[in-house]
Coordinates of all heavy atoms in Angstrom, one line a residue:
M108 N -29.8 55.2 -37.5 CA -30.3 55.4 -36.1 C -29.4 54.6 -35.1 O -29.0 55.1 -34.2 CB -31.8 54.9 -36.0 CG -32.4 55.2 -34.7 SD -32.5 57.0 -34.3 CE -33.0 56.9 -32.6
K109 N -29.1 53.4 -35.5 CA -28.3 52.5 -34.7 C -26.9 53.2 -34.5 O -26.4 53.2 -33.4 CB -28.1 51.2 -35.4 CG -28.1 50.0 -34.4 CD -28.1 48.8 -35.2 CE -27.9 47.5 -34.3 NZ -27.7 46.4 -35.1
H110 N -26.4 53.8 -35.6 CA -25.2 54.4 -35.5 C -25.1 55.7 -34.6 O -24.2 55.9 -33.9 CB -24.6 54.8 -36.9 CG -24.2 53.6 -37.8 ND1 -23.0 52.9 -37.4 CD2 -24.8 53.0 -38.8 CE1 -22.9 52.0 -38.3 NE2 -24.0 52.0 -39.1
A111 N -26.3 56.4 -34.7 CA -26.4 57.5 -33.8 C -26.4 57.2 -32.4 O -25.7 57.9 -31.5 CB -27.6 58.3 -34.2
I112 N -27.0 56.1 -32.0 CA -27.0 55.7 -30.6 C -25.7 55.3 -30.2 O -25.2 55.6 -29.1 CB -28.1 54.5 -30.4 CG1 -29.5 55.1 -30.6 CG2 -28.0 53.9 -28.9 CD1 -30.5 54.0 -30.7
L113 N -25.0 54.6 -31.1 CA -23.7 54.1 -30.7 C -22.7 55.2 -30.5 O -22.0 55.3 -29.5 CB -23.1 53.1 -31.9 CG -21.7 52.6 -31.6 CD1 -21.7 51.7 -30.4 CD2 -21.3 51.8 -32.8
A114 N -22.8 56.3 -31.4 CA -22.0 57.4 -31.3 C -22.2 58.1 -30.0 O -21.3 58.6 -29.3 CB -22.2 58.3 -32.5
A115 N -23.5 58.3 -29.7 CA -23.8 59.0 -28.4 C -23.3 58.2 -27.2 O -22.7 58.8 -26.3 CB -25.3 59.1 -28.2
A116 N -23.4 56.9 -27.3 CA -22.8 56.1 -26.2 C -21.3 56.3 -26.1 O -20.7 56.4 -25.0 CB -23.1 54.6 -26.4
L117 N -20.6 56.4 -27.2 CA -19.2 56.5 -27.2 C -18.8 57.8 -26.6 O -17.8 57.9 -25.8 CB -18.6 56.4 -28.5 CG -18.6 55.0 -29.1 CD1 -18.1 54.9 -30.6 CD2 -17.6 54.1 -28.2
I118 N -19.5 58.9 -26.9 CA -19.2 60.2 -26.5 C -19.4 60.2 -24.9 O -18.6 60.8 -24.2 CB -20.2 61.3 -27.2 CG1 -19.7 61.4 -28.7 CG2 -20.0 62.6 -26.4 CD1 -20.7 62.1 -29.6
L119 N -20.5 59.6 -24.5 CA -20.7 59.6 -23.0 C -19.6 59.0 -22.3 O -19.1 59.3 -21.3 CB -22.1 58.9 -22.8 CG -23.4 59.9 -23.0 CD1 -24.6 59.0 -22.7 CD2 -23.3 61.0 -21.9
A120 N -19.2 57.7 -22.8 CA -18.2 57.0 -22.2 C -16.8 57.8 -22.1 O -16.2 57.8 -21.1 CB -18.0 55.7 -23.0
A121 N -16.6 58.5 -23.3 CA -15.3 59.4 -23.2 C -15.4 60.4 -22.2 O -14.5 60.7 -21.5 CB -15.1 59.9 -24.6
A122 N -16.5 61.1 -22.0 CA -16.8 62.2 -21.2 C -16.6 61.7 -19.7 O -16.1 62.5 -18.8 CB -18.0 62.9 -21.4
S123 N -17.1 60.5 -19.4 CA -17.2 60.1 -18.0 C -15.8 59.4 -17.6 O -15.6 59.3 -16.4 CB -18.3 59.1 -17.8 OG -18.1 57.9 -18.5
T124 N -15.0 59.1 -18.5 CA -13.7 58.4 -18.1 C -12.8 59.6 -17.7 O -12.4 60.5 -18.4 CB -13.1 57.8 -19.3 OG1 -14.0 56.9 -19.9 CG2 -11.9 56.9 -18.9
T125 N -12.4 59.5 -16.4 CA -11.4 60.5 -15.9 C -10.0 60.1 -16.3 O -9.6 58.9 -16.3 CB -11.4 60.7 -14.4 OG1 -11.5 59.4 -13.8 CG2 -12.5 61.6 -13.9
Q126 N -9.3 61.0 -16.8 CA -7.9 60.8 -17.2 C -7.1 60.2 -15.9 O -7.3 60.5 -14.9 CB -7.3 62.2 -17.5 CG -6.1 62.2 -18.4 CD -5.6 63.6 -18.5 OE1 -6.4 64.6 -18.6 NE2 -4.3 63.8 -18.5
A127 N -6.2 59.2 -16.3 CA -5.4 58.6 -15.3 C -4.4 59.6 -14.6 O -4.0 60.5 -15.3 CB -4.6 57.4 -15.9
A128 N -4.3 59.5 -13.3 CA -3.5 60.5 -12.6 C -2.0 60.2 -13.0 O -1.6 59.1 -13.1 CB -3.7 60.3 -11.1
D129 N -1.3 61.3 -13.2 CA 0.1 61.3 -13.6 C 1.1 61.7 -12.5 O 1.2 63.0 -12.3 CB 0.2 62.1 -14.9 CG 1.6 62.3 -15.4 OD1 2.6 61.7 -14.8 OD2 1.8 63.0 -16.4
P130 N 1.7 60.8 -11.8 CA 2.6 61.3 -10.6 C 3.8 62.1 -11.1 O 4.2 62.9 -10.3 CB 3.0 59.9 -10.1 CG 2.7 58.9 -11.0 CD 1.6 59.4 -11.9
A131 N 4.2 61.9 -12.3 CA 5.4 62.8 -12.8 C 4.9 64.2 -12.9 O 5.6 65.1 -12.5 CB 5.9 62.2 -14.1
N132 N 3.7 64.4 -13.5 CA 3.3 65.8 -13.6 C 3.0 66.2 -12.0 O 3.2 67.5 -11.8 CB 2.0 65.8 -14.3 CG 1.5 67.3 -14.6 OD1 2.3 68.1 -15.0 ND2 0.1 67.5 -14.4
G133 N 2.5 65.4 -11.2 CA 2.1 65.7 -9.8 C 3.4 66.2 -9.2 O 3.4 67.1 -8.4
K134 N 4.6 65.6 -9.5 CA 5.8 66.1 -8.8 C 6.2 67.5 -9.2 O 6.6 68.3 -8.3 CB 7.0 65.1 -9.2 CG 8.3 65.5 -8.6 CD 9.5 64.7 -9.0 CE 10.7 65.0 -8.1 NZ 11.1 66.4 -8.1
M135 N 5.9 67.9 -10.4 CA 6.2 69.2 -10.9 C 5.3 70.2 -10.1 O 5.7 71.3 -9.7 CB 6.1 69.3 -12.4 CG 7.1 68.6 -13.1 SD 7.2 69.2 -14.9 CE 5.7 68.6 -15.5
I136 N 4.1 69.8 -10.0 CA 3.1 70.7 -9.3 C 3.5 70.8 -7.8 O 3.4 71.9 -7.2 CB 1.7 70.1 -9.4 CG1 1.2 70.2 -10.9 CG2 0.7 70.9 -8.6 CD1 0.0 69.3 -11.3
Y137 N 3.9 69.7 -7.2 CA 4.3 69.6 -5.8 C 5.5 70.6 -5.6 O 5.5 71.4 -4.7 CB 4.6 68.2 -5.5 CG 5.1 68.0 -4.0 CD1 4.1 67.8 -3.0 CD2 6.4 68.2 -3.6 CE1 4.5 67.6 -1.7 CE2 6.8 68.0 -2.3 CZ 5.8 67.8 -1.3 OH 6.3 67.6 0.0
D138 N 6.5 70.5 -6.5 CA 7.7 71.3 -6.4 C 7.4 72.7 -6.5 O 8.1 73.5 -6.0 CB 8.7 70.8 -7.4 CG 9.4 69.4 -7.0 OD1 9.2 68.9 -5.9 OD2 10.0 68.8 -7.9
M139 N 6.4 73.1 -7.2 CA 6.0 74.6 -7.4 C 5.1 75.1 -6.2 O 5.3 76.2 -5.9 CB 5.3 74.7 -8.7 CG 6.3 74.8 -9.9 SD 5.6 75.4 -11.4 CE 4.5 74.1 -11.8
N140 N 4.3 74.2 -5.8 CA 3.2 74.7 -4.9 C 3.2 74.2 -3.4 O 2.6 74.7 -2.6 CB 1.8 74.3 -5.4 CG 1.6 74.9 -6.8 OD1 1.2 76.2 -6.9 ND2 1.6 74.2 -7.8
C141 N 3.8 73.1 -3.1 CA 3.7 72.4 -1.9 C 5.0 72.2 -1.2 O 5.0 72.1 0.1 CB 3.2 71.0 -2.1 SG 1.8 70.9 -3.4
V142 N 6.1 72.3 -1.9 CA 7.5 71.9 -1.3 C 7.8 72.9 -0.2 O 8.5 72.4 0.7 CB 8.5 71.7 -2.4 CG1 9.1 73.1 -2.9 CG2 9.6 70.8 -2.0
V143 N 7.4 74.1 -0.3 CA 7.8 75.2 0.7 C 7.4 74.7 2.2 O 8.2 75.0 3.1 CB 7.2 76.5 0.4 CG1 8.0 77.2 -0.6 CG2 5.7 76.5 0.1
C144 N 6.3 74.0 2.2 CA 5.8 73.6 3.6 C 6.1 72.0 3.8 O 6.5 71.5 4.8 CB 4.4 73.9 3.8 SG 4.0 75.7 3.7
H145 N 5.7 71.3 2.8 CA 5.7 69.8 2.9 C 7.1 69.2 2.6 O 7.3 68.0 2.9 CB 4.7 69.2 2.1 CG 3.3 69.4 2.5 ND1 2.8 68.8 3.6 CD2 2.4 70.3 2.1 CE1 1.5 69.2 3.8 NE2 1.2 70.2 2.9
G146 N 8.1 70.0 2.0 CA 9.5 69.6 1.9 C 9.8 68.7 0.8 O 8.8 68.0 0.3
V147 N 11.0 68.6 0.5 CA 11.4 67.7 -0.6 C 11.2 66.3 -0.2 O 11.5 65.9 1.0 CB 13.0 67.9 -0.9 CG1 13.6 66.9 -1.9 CG2 13.3 69.4 -1.4
G148 N 10.6 65.5 -1.1 CA 10.4 64.1 -0.8 C 9.3 63.9 0.3 O 9.2 62.8 0.8
G149 N 8.6 65.0 0.7 CA 7.6 64.8 1.7 C 8.1 64.8 3.1 O 7.4 64.5 4.1
H150 N 9.3 65.3 3.3 CA 9.9 65.5 4.6 C 9.6 67.0 4.9 O 10.2 67.9 4.4 CB 11.4 65.3 4.6 CG 11.8 63.9 4.3 ND1 11.8 62.8 5.2 CD2 12.1 63.4 3.1 CE1 12.1 61.7 4.6 NE2 12.4 62.0 3.4
P151 N 8.7 67.2 5.9 CA 8.1 68.6 6.1 C 9.1 69.6 6.6 O 9.9 69.3 7.4 CB 6.9 68.3 7.1 CG 7.3 67.1 7.8 CD 8.0 66.3 6.8
V152 N 8.9 70.8 6.2 CA 9.8 71.9 6.6 C 9.0 72.6 7.7 O 9.6 73.1 8.7 CB 9.9 73.0 5.4 CG1 10.7 74.2 5.7 CG2 10.5 72.3 4.2
L153 N 7.7 72.7 7.5 CA 6.9 73.3 8.6 C 6.4 72.3 9.6 O 5.9 71.2 9.3 CB 5.6 73.9 7.8 CG 4.8 75.0 8.4 CD1 5.6 76.3 8.3 CD2 3.4 75.1 7.7
P154 N 6.7 72.6 10.9 CA 6.4 71.6 11.9 C 4.9 71.1 11.9 O 4.7 70.0 12.1 CB 6.7 72.3 13.2 CG 7.6 73.4 12.9 CD 7.3 73.8 11.5
A155 N 3.9 72.0 11.6 CA 2.6 71.6 11.6 C 2.1 70.7 10.4 O 1.2 70.1 10.3 CB 1.7 72.8 11.6
A156 N 3.0 70.7 9.3 CA 2.7 70.0 8.1 C 2.9 68.4 8.3 O 4.0 68.1 8.9 CB 3.5 70.5 7.0
P157 N 2.0 67.6 7.8 CA 2.2 66.2 7.9 C 3.3 65.8 7.1 O 3.7 66.4 6.1 CB 0.9 65.7 7.4 CG 0.2 66.7 6.6 CD 0.7 68.0 7.1
S158 N 4.0 64.6 7.5 CA 5.1 64.0 6.7 C 4.5 62.9 5.7 O 4.1 62.0 6.1 CB 6.1 63.4 7.7 OG 7.0 62.6 6.9
F159 N 4.5 63.3 4.4 CA 4.1 62.4 3.4 C 5.1 61.3 3.3 O 4.9 60.1 2.9 CB 3.8 63.1 2.1 CG 2.7 64.1 2.2 CD1 3.0 65.4 1.7 CD2 1.5 63.9 2.8 CE1 2.0 66.4 1.7 CE2 0.6 64.8 3.0 CZ 0.8 66.1 2.4
A160 N 6.4 61.6 3.6 CA 7.4 60.5 3.6 C 7.2 59.4 4.6 O 7.5 58.3 4.4 CB 8.8 61.2 3.9
K161 N 6.4 59.8 5.7 CA 6.0 58.8 6.6 C 4.6 58.2 6.3 O 4.0 57.6 7.2 CB 6.0 59.3 8.1 CG 7.4 59.6 8.6 CD 7.3 60.2 10.0 CE 8.7 60.4 10.5 NZ 8.6 61.3 11.8
G162 N 4.0 58.8 5.3 CA 2.6 58.3 4.9 C 1.5 59.0 5.8 O 0.4 58.5 5.7
E163 N 1.9 60.0 6.4 CA 0.9 60.7 7.4 C -0.3 61.3 6.5 O 0.0 62.0 5.5 CB 1.6 61.8 8.2 CG 2.4 61.2 9.3 CD 3.2 62.2 10.1 OE1 3.0 63.4 9.9 OE2 4.0 61.7 10.9
R164 N -1.5 61.1 7.0 CA -2.7 61.5 6.3 C -3.0 60.9 5.1 O -4.1 61.1 4.5 CB -2.7 63.1 6.1 CG -2.2 64.0 7.3 CD -3.2 64.0 8.3 NE -2.8 65.0 9.5 CZ -3.0 66.2 9.5 NH1 -3.8 66.8 8.6 NH2 -2.6 66.9 10.5
L165 N -2.2 60.1 4.5 CA -2.4 59.5 3.2 C -3.3 58.2 3.3 O -3.6 57.7 2.3 CB -1.1 59.2 2.5 CG -0.2 60.4 2.2 CD1 1.0 60.0 1.5 CD2 -1.0 61.5 1.4
M166 N -3.7 57.8 4.5 CA -4.7 56.7 4.6 C -6.0 57.1 4.2 O -6.9 56.3 4.1 CB -4.5 56.0 5.9 CG -5.0 56.9 7.1 SD -3.7 58.2 7.5 CE -2.5 57.4 8.4
Q167 N -6.3 58.4 4.0 CA -7.6 58.9 3.6 C -7.8 58.6 2.1 O -6.9 58.6 1.3 CB -7.7 60.3 3.8 CG -7.5 60.9 5.2 CD -7.5 62.3 5.3 OE1 -8.6 63.0 5.1 NE2 -6.3 63.0 5.6
P168 N -9.0 58.4 1.7 CA -9.4 58.3 0.4 C -9.0 59.6 -0.4 O -9.1 60.7 0.2 CB -10.8 57.9 0.3 CG -11.4 58.3 1.6 CD -10.3 58.3 2.6
D169 N -8.8 59.4 -1.7 CA -8.4 60.6 -2.6 C -9.5 61.7 -2.4 O -9.2 62.9 -2.5 CB -8.4 60.1 -4.0 CG -7.1 59.4 -4.4 OD1 -6.3 59.1 -3.4 OD2 -6.8 59.1 -5.5
T170 N -10.8 61.3 -2.4 CA -11.9 62.3 -2.3 C -11.7 63.2 -1.1 O -11.9 64.4 -1.2 CB -13.3 61.6 -2.2 OG1 -13.2 60.7 -1.2 CG2 -13.7 60.9 -3.5
M171 N -11.3 62.7 0.0 CA -11.0 63.5 1.2 C -9.7 64.4 1.0 O -9.8 65.5 1.5 CB -11.0 62.7 2.4 CG -12.3 62.0 2.7 SD -12.3 61.1 4.3 CE -12.3 62.5 5.5
L172 N -8.7 63.8 0.4 CA -7.5 64.6 0.3 C -7.9 65.8 -0.8 O -7.4 66.9 -0.5 CB -6.4 63.7 -0.3 CG -5.9 62.6 0.7 CD1 -4.9 61.7 0.0 CD2 -5.3 63.2 1.9
I173 N -8.6 65.5 -1.8 CA -9.0 66.5 -2.8 C -9.7 67.7 -2.0 O -9.4 68.8 -2.2 CB -9.9 65.9 -3.9 CG1 -9.1 65.1 -4.8 CG2 -10.5 67.0 -4.6 CD1 -9.9 64.2 -5.8
E174 N -10.6 67.3 -1.1 CA -11.4 68.3 -0.3 C -10.5 69.2 0.5 O -10.6 70.4 0.5 CB -12.4 67.5 0.5 CG -12.9 68.1 1.8 CD -14.1 68.8 1.7 OE1 -14.8 68.7 0.7 OE2 -14.3 69.7 2.6
S175 N -9.5 68.6 1.2 CA -8.6 69.4 1.9 C -7.7 70.3 1.1 O -7.4 71.4 1.4 CB -7.6 68.5 2.8 OG -8.4 67.7 3.7
I176 N -7.3 69.7 -0.1 CA -6.3 70.5 -0.9 C -7.2 71.7 -1.6 O -6.7 72.8 -1.7 CB -5.7 69.6 -1.9 CG1 -4.7 68.6 -1.2 CG2 -4.9 70.5 -3.0 CD1 -4.2 67.5 -2.1
E177 N -8.3 71.4 -2.0 CA -9.2 72.5 -2.6 C -9.6 73.6 -1.6 O -9.6 74.8 -1.9 CB -10.4 71.9 -3.3 CG -10.1 71.1 -4.6 CD -11.2 70.8 -5.4 OE1 -12.4 70.8 -4.9 OE2 -11.0 70.5 -6.7
N178 N -10.0 73.1 -0.4 CA -10.5 74.1 0.5 C -9.6 74.6 1.6 O -9.9 75.4 2.4 CB -11.8 73.5 1.2 CG -12.8 73.1 0.1 OD1 -13.1 73.9 -0.9 ND2 -13.5 72.0 0.2
G179 N -8.5 73.9 1.8 CA -7.5 74.2 2.7 C -7.8 73.7 4.1 O -9.0 73.2 4.2
K180 N -6.9 73.7 5.1 CA -7.2 73.2 6.4 C -6.2 73.9 7.3 O -5.0 73.7 7.2 CB -6.9 71.8 6.4 CG -7.5 71.0 7.5 CD -7.4 69.5 7.3 CE -8.1 68.7 8.5 NZ -7.9 67.2 8.3
N181 N -6.8 74.7 8.2 CA -5.9 75.5 9.1 C -4.9 76.3 8.3 O -5.2 77.2 7.5 CB -5.4 74.7 10.2 CG -6.5 74.0 11.0 OD1 -7.5 74.6 11.4 ND2 -6.3 72.7 11.3
V182 N -3.6 76.0 8.7 CA -2.4 76.8 7.9 C -2.4 76.3 6.4 O -1.9 77.1 5.6 CB -1.1 76.4 8.7 CG1 0.1 77.1 8.0 CG2 -1.2 76.8 10.2
M183 N -2.8 75.1 6.2 CA -2.8 74.6 4.8 C -3.7 75.5 3.8 O -4.9 75.6 4.1 CB -3.2 73.2 4.8 CG -3.7 72.5 3.5 SD -2.2 72.0 2.5 CE -3.1 71.7 1.0
P184 N -3.1 76.1 2.9 CA -3.8 77.0 2.0 C -4.7 76.3 1.1 O -4.5 75.1 0.8 CB -2.8 77.8 1.2 CG -1.6 77.0 1.3 CD -1.7 76.1 2.5
A185 N -5.8 77.0 0.6 CA -6.8 76.4 -0.4 C -6.3 76.5 -1.8 O -5.7 77.5 -2.2 CB -8.1 77.1 -0.2
F186 N -6.4 75.5 -2.6 CA -5.9 75.5 -3.9 C -7.0 75.5 -5.0 O -6.7 75.4 -6.2 CB -4.9 74.4 -4.2 CG -3.6 74.6 -3.5 CD1 -3.3 74.2 -2.3 CD2 -2.6 75.3 -4.3 CE1 -2.0 74.5 -1.6 CE2 -1.3 75.6 -3.6 CZ -1.1 75.1 -2.4
L187 N -8.2 75.8 -4.5 CA -9.4 75.8 -5.5 C -9.2 77.1 -6.3 O -8.9 78.2 -5.8 CB -10.7 76.0 -4.7 CG -12.0 75.8 -5.5 CD1 -12.1 74.3 -6.0 CD2 -13.2 76.1 -4.6
G188 N -9.2 77.0 -7.6 CA -9.0 78.1 -8.5 C -7.5 78.3 -8.8 O -7.2 79.1 -9.7
I189 N -6.6 77.6 -8.2 CA -5.2 77.7 -8.5 C -4.8 76.4 -9.2 O -4.1 76.4 -10.2 CB -4.4 77.8 -7.1 CG1 -4.8 79.1 -6.5 CG2 -2.9 77.8 -7.5 CD1 -4.3 79.3 -5.1
L190 N -5.2 75.2 -8.7 CA -4.9 74.0 -9.3 C -6.3 73.5 -9.9 O -7.3 73.5 -9.2 CB -4.3 73.0 -8.4 CG -2.9 73.4 -7.9 CD1 -2.5 72.3 -6.9 CD2 -2.0 73.6 -9.0
R191 N -6.2 72.9 -11.0 CA -7.4 72.1 -11.5 C -7.5 70.8 -10.9 O -6.6 70.2 -10.4 CB -7.3 72.0 -13.1 CG -7.3 73.4 -13.8 CD -7.2 73.3 -15.3 NE -6.2 72.4 -15.7 CZ -6.1 71.9 -16.9 NH1 -7.0 72.2 -17.7 NH2 -5.1 71.1 -17.2
R192 N -8.8 70.2 -11.0 CA -9.0 68.9 -10.4 C -8.1 67.9 -10.8 O -7.6 67.1 -10.0 CB -10.4 68.5 -10.7 CG -10.9 67.3 -10.0 CD -10.8 67.2 -8.5 NE -11.7 68.1 -7.8 CZ -13.0 67.7 -7.4 NH1 -13.5 66.4 -7.6 NH2 -13.8 68.5 -6.7
Q193 N -7.8 67.8 -12.1 CA -6.9 66.8 -12.6 C -5.4 67.0 -12.1 O -4.7 66.1 -11.8 CB -6.9 66.9 -14.2 CG -6.0 65.7 -14.8 CD -6.5 64.3 -14.4 OE1 -7.7 64.1 -14.4 NE2 -5.6 63.4 -14.2
E194 N -5.0 68.3 -11.9 CA -3.7 68.6 -11.3 C -3.6 68.0 -9.9 O -2.6 67.5 -9.4 CB -3.4 70.0 -11.5 CG -3.2 70.5 -12.9 CD -3.1 72.0 -13.0 OE1 -3.8 72.8 -12.4 OE2 -2.2 72.4 -13.8
I195 N -4.8 68.2 -9.1 CA -4.8 67.8 -7.8 C -4.7 66.3 -7.7 O -4.0 65.7 -6.9 CB -6.1 68.3 -7.0 CG1 -6.0 69.8 -6.9 CG2 -6.2 67.6 -5.6 CD1 -7.2 70.6 -6.4
R196 N -5.4 65.6 -8.7 CA -5.4 64.1 -8.8 C -3.9 63.7 -9.1 O -3.4 62.7 -8.5 CB -6.3 63.6 -9.9 CG -7.7 63.7 -9.5 CD -8.5 63.0 -10.7 NE -9.9 63.4 -10.5 CZ -10.7 62.9 -9.7 NH1 -10.3 62.0 -8.8 NH2 -12.0 63.3 -9.7
D197 N -3.2 64.4 -9.9 CA -1.8 64.1 -10.2 C -0.9 64.3 -9.0 O 0.0 63.4 -8.7 CB -1.3 65.0 -11.3 CG -2.0 64.7 -12.7 OD1 -2.6 63.7 -12.8 OD2 -1.8 65.5 -13.6
V198 N -1.2 65.4 -8.3 CA -0.3 65.7 -7.1 C -0.5 64.6 -6.1 O 0.4 64.1 -5.3 CB -0.5 67.0 -6.6 CG1 -1.6 67.3 -5.6 CG2 0.8 67.5 -5.9
I199 N -1.8 64.1 -5.9 CA -2.1 63.1 -4.9 C -1.4 61.8 -5.3 O -0.9 61.1 -4.4 CB -3.6 62.8 -4.7 CG1 -4.2 64.1 -3.9 CG2 -3.9 61.6 -3.9 CD1 -5.7 64.1 -4.0
A200 N -1.4 61.5 -6.6 CA -0.7 60.3 -7.1 C 0.8 60.3 -6.7 O 1.4 59.3 -6.4 CB -0.9 60.2 -8.5
Y201 N 1.4 61.6 -6.9 CA 2.8 61.8 -6.4 C 2.9 61.5 -5.0 O 3.9 60.8 -4.5 CB 3.2 63.1 -6.9 CG 4.6 63.5 -6.4 CD1 5.7 62.7 -6.8 CD2 4.8 64.4 -5.5 CE1 7.0 62.9 -6.3 CE2 6.1 64.7 -5.0 CZ 7.2 64.0 -5.4 OH 8.4 64.2 -4.9
L202 N 2.0 62.1 -4.2 CA 2.2 62.0 -2.7 C 2.2 60.6 -2.3 O 2.9 60.1 -1.4 CB 0.9 62.7 -2.0 CG 0.8 64.2 -2.1 CD1 -0.4 64.6 -1.2 CD2 2.1 64.9 -1.7
R203 N 1.4 59.7 -3.0 CA 1.3 58.3 -2.7 C 2.5 57.5 -3.0 O 2.7 56.3 -2.7 CB 0.1 57.7 -3.3 CG -1.2 58.3 -2.7 CD -2.5 57.3 -2.9 NE -3.7 57.9 -2.5 CZ -4.1 58.0 -1.2 NH1 -3.3 57.6 -0.3 NH2 -5.3 58.5 -0.9
T204 N 3.4 58.2 -3.7 CA 4.7 57.5 -4.1 C 5.8 57.8 -3.1 O 7.0 57.2 -3.1 CB 5.3 58.0 -5.5 OG1 5.7 59.3 -5.4 CG2 4.3 57.8 -6.6
L205 N 5.6 58.8 -2.2 CA 6.6 59.2 -1.3 C 6.8 58.4 -0.1 O 7.9 58.4 0.5 CB 6.2 60.7 -0.7 CG 6.2 61.7 -1.9 CD1 5.7 63.1 -1.3 CD2 7.5 61.8 -2.5
H206 N 5.9 57.6 0.3 CA 5.9 56.7 1.4 C 6.5 55.3 1.0 O 5.9 54.6 0.2 CB 4.6 56.6 2.2 CG 4.7 55.8 3.4 ND1 3.6 54.9 3.8 CD2 5.5 55.6 4.4 CE1 3.9 54.3 4.9 NE2 5.1 54.8 5.3
R207 N 7.7 55.1 1.6 CA 8.2 53.7 1.3 C 9.0 53.1 2.4 O 9.1 53.7 3.5 CB 9.1 53.7 0.0 CG 10.1 55.0 0.0 CD 10.6 55.1 -1.5 NE 9.8 55.8 -2.3 CZ 9.8 55.9 -3.6 NH1 10.8 55.1 -4.2 NH2 9.0 56.6 -4.4
Ligands
HEC381 C1 1.8 77.2 3.7 C2 2.2 75.8 3.9 C3 1.6 74.8 3.0 C4 1.5 74.7 1.7 C5 2.1 75.7 0.7 C6 0.9 73.4 1.4 N1 0.5 72.8 2.6 FE1 -0.5 71.0 2.7 N2 -0.6 71.3 4.7 C7 0.0 72.2 5.5 C8 -0.3 72.1 6.9 C9 0.2 73.0 8.0 C10 -1.2 71.0 7.0 C11 -1.8 70.4 8.2 C12 -3.2 71.0 8.3 C13 -3.9 70.6 9.6 O1 -4.4 69.5 9.7 O2 -3.9 71.4 10.5 C14 -1.3 70.4 5.6 C15 -2.0 69.3 5.3 C16 -2.1 68.7 4.1 C17 -2.7 67.5 3.7 C18 -3.5 66.7 4.7 C19 -5.0 67.1 4.7 C20 -5.9 66.4 5.5 O3 -7.1 66.3 5.2 O4 -5.4 65.8 6.6 C21 -2.5 67.4 2.4 C22 -3.1 66.1 1.6 C23 -1.7 68.4 1.9 N3 -1.5 69.3 2.9 C24 -1.4 68.5 0.6 C25 -0.8 69.7 0.0 C26 -0.5 69.9 -1.3 C27 -0.8 68.8 -2.4 C28 0.0 71.1 -1.5 C29 0.4 71.7 -2.7 C30 -0.6 71.8 -3.8 C31 0.1 71.7 -0.1 N4 -0.4 70.7 0.8 C32 0.6 72.9 0.2 C33 0.8 73.2 4.9 C34 0.9 73.6 3.6

């Protein structure tokens, strides 16, 4: 009985732990899906797009950035159903490396 409870606790712990965001994978996703507008290294190609190289819009918490990326914003297309939540977390981790 004690073992069963311990096993259940371990399974719950594993399920609730989100995988750490991977900026290297995020770069690959960015280069395929975002670079056309947001540009290489976050220097925007499209005038309306924020410059991630300047850290624009990145002062928002991840939850709000996820919301914008999943649902889109004006010209910014929605990526819900295109990118998985973990991929979006990876791409945000990459965006946060661009401002220096
Ligand atoms: C078709 C061009 C285009 C593509 C492709 C694109 N974006 Fe954007 N993105 C924009 C524009 C334009 C804005 C500014 C939207 C606004 O605030 O009006 C924007 C805004 C954003 C913002 C700021 C949102 C906010 O809440 O302020 C983030 C973050 C972002 N884009 C990330 C991404 C990521 C990540 C990808 C690739 C998965 C991507 N974008 C692909 C054009 C694009």
Side-chain angles (χ1 to χ4, degrees):
M108 188 59 191
K109 220 173 169 186
H110 287 288
I112 292 169
L113 182 63
L117 287 173
I118 290 164
L119 281 175
S123 64
T124 308
T125 40
Q126 200 185 319
D129 176 359
N132 188 48
K134 182 185 189 309
M135 292 196 294
I136 295 163
Y137 182 91
D138 288 348
M139 281 191 292
N140 298 282
C141 322
V142 80
V143 284
C144 299
H145 289 285
V147 174
H150 299 277
V152 179
L153 204 70
S158 168
F159 300 131
K161 290 184 183 162
E163 286 172 9
R164 311 288 179 92
L165 298 181
M166 61 291 281
Q167 300 177 71
D169 286 8
T170 49
M171 292 185 71
L172 295 175
I173 290 169
E174 153 91 17
S175 295
I176 295 167
E177 286 191 341
N178 301 320
K180 197 173 188 184
N181 303 316
V182 180
M183 163 79 190
F186 284 90
L187 192 70
I189 298 170
L190 296 178
R191 294 181 313 163
R192 182 58 71 90
Q193 187 60 41
E194 293 174 314
I195 294 175
R196 287 187 197 284
D197 290 350
V198 86
I199 291 171
Y201 173 65
L202 298 183
R203 296 203 183 282
T204 69
L205 296 175
H206 182 217
R207 41 195 87 197

